Amino acid sequence: MNPRIVIMGPQGAGKGTQSERLAEAYDVEHVTTGGILRANKDLETEHGTPGEYMDRGELVPDEVMAAIVEEALGSRDGYVLDGYPRNRAQAEYLDEIADPHLVLLIEVSEEVSIERLSGRRECRDCGATYHVDFDPPAESGVCDVCGGELFRREDDEPEAIRRRLEIYYDETEPVVAHYREETDIPVKSVDGEQPPDDVFDDIESMVESTVPQPSASED
Ligand code: AMP
């Protein structure tokens, strides 16, 4: 069976990296609301453009997000959903339109989040990502892949990082309690401060012990 996974955790936990690996390993779609929004930053909605909220590190309005998520999940029978839900209203909406097998929570401390986000750099041309200390390019400010210029995302500026983490702890973390206490969907935590390969190994064993495997359903 194709896994339907919601991946959660604070900014900088490694959700993007791990979601991509998971989606590839199980051949399902990586649905990243941040990625969809970045590709539609200037889209006019009745609430303004997504970019206006994103650059400030604020959440894009729930109504806009509901339409995006509904379309992105469509009738897919497997996905890794990364970046949604971010608050209680979004979690309740997702309960109505989707039925995930598993919620994966990647845990890192607030200090680690800040350290990872503030050093993050992205290539203007090809989107490759680096970290000034942990994964630097060969030449400072220049992309190894395509030679493009590296920049710091607006929402990785210190003030926006502070706001994003505040929203995470105030609004998004309670969603984990919603899953634990008010649904039957299992929540599994993984230590996101380990090296990425170890995080992925843990995630894979969690998926395998939680999502019904093809051999089990054929029995
Ligand atoms: P991310 O890359 O997941 O950190 O998302 C980047 C930005 O996109 C966030 O800081 C928000 O402004 C916006 N965003 C992404 N997902 C959501 C969501 N589920 N609800 C509201 N805003 C979102």
Side-chain angles (χ1 to χ4, degrees):
M1 187 180 290
N2 284 331
R4 300 186 296 269
I5 298 170
V6 173
I7 194 154
M8 297 190 63
Q11 285 78 3
K15 294 190 297 291
T17 309
Q18 298 297 338
S19 299
E20 244 161 56
R21 289 184 66 169
L22 254 180
E24 198 180 310
Y26 291 94
D27 199 19
V28 295
E29 189 82 8
H30 173 202
V31 176
T32 150
T33 52
I36 296 171
L37 288 168
R38 273 189 285 282
N40 292 282
K41 270 190 112 162
D42 301 322
L43 188 80
E44 289 293 345
T45 77
E46 58 179 306
H47 304 277
T49 67
E52 292 166 28
Y53 297 88
M54 295 166 76
D55 288 349
R56 294 194 295 262
E58 289 170 6
L59 294 185
V60 172
D62 292 341
E63 268 177 53
V64 177
M65 295 314 302
I68 287 176
V69 158
E70 190 174 1
E71 183 178 332
L73 291 183
S75 51
R76 284 182 203 295
D77 64 352
Y79 49 80
V80 180
L81 179 58
D82 162 14
Y84 193 95
R86 288 267 235 279
N87 60 25
R88 187 170 181 97
Q90 294 186 2
E92 286 173 355
Y93 181 68
L94 190 67
D95 290 344
E96 285 172 26
I97 65 160
D99 182 23
H101 293 114
L102 169 67
V103 172
L104 271 174
L105 173 63
I106 309 188
E107 296 193 287
V108 296
S109 68
E110 190 168 355
E111 296 73 58
V112 167
S113 290
I114 294 171
E115 195 177 59
R116 289 184 180 172
L117 295 181
S118 52
R120 192 155 73 171
R121 297 293 180 271
E122 201 171 300
C123 174
R124 240 181 240 297
D125 296 336
C126 76
T129 56
Y130 299 86
H131 189 284
V132 291
D133 298 319
F134 310 137
D135 182 20
E139 187 184 337
S140 170
V142 181
C143 178
D144 288 346
V145 181
C146 76
E149 181 200 359
L150 302 187
F151 75 109
R152 166 138 87 171
R153 264 166 51 178
E154 193 112 18
D155 61 350
D156 285 342
E157 297 289 342
E159 177 62 11
I161 290 178
R162 199 188 56 73
R163 289 181 87 109
R164 289 162 71 201
L165 286 173
E166 199 174 275
I167 293 172
Y168 178 79
Y169 289 108
D170 288 352
E171 296 189 44
T172 309
E173 208 176 45
V175 170
V176 178
H178 163 75
Y179 284 119
R180 286 209 164 105
E181 291 158 21
E182 298 169 26
T183 73
D184 296 329
I185 304 165
V187 177
K188 303 270 181 189
S189 316
V190 46
D191 173 3
E193 295 189 11
Q194 309 173 85
D197 287 348
D198 295 349
V199 176
F200 189 68
D201 287 346
D202 285 0
I203 287 179
E204 255 191 332
S205 27
M206 283 167 188
V207 172
E208 256 138 60
S209 66
T210 318
V211 177
Q213 298 298 304
S215 54
S217 58
E218 280 161 19
D219 283 344

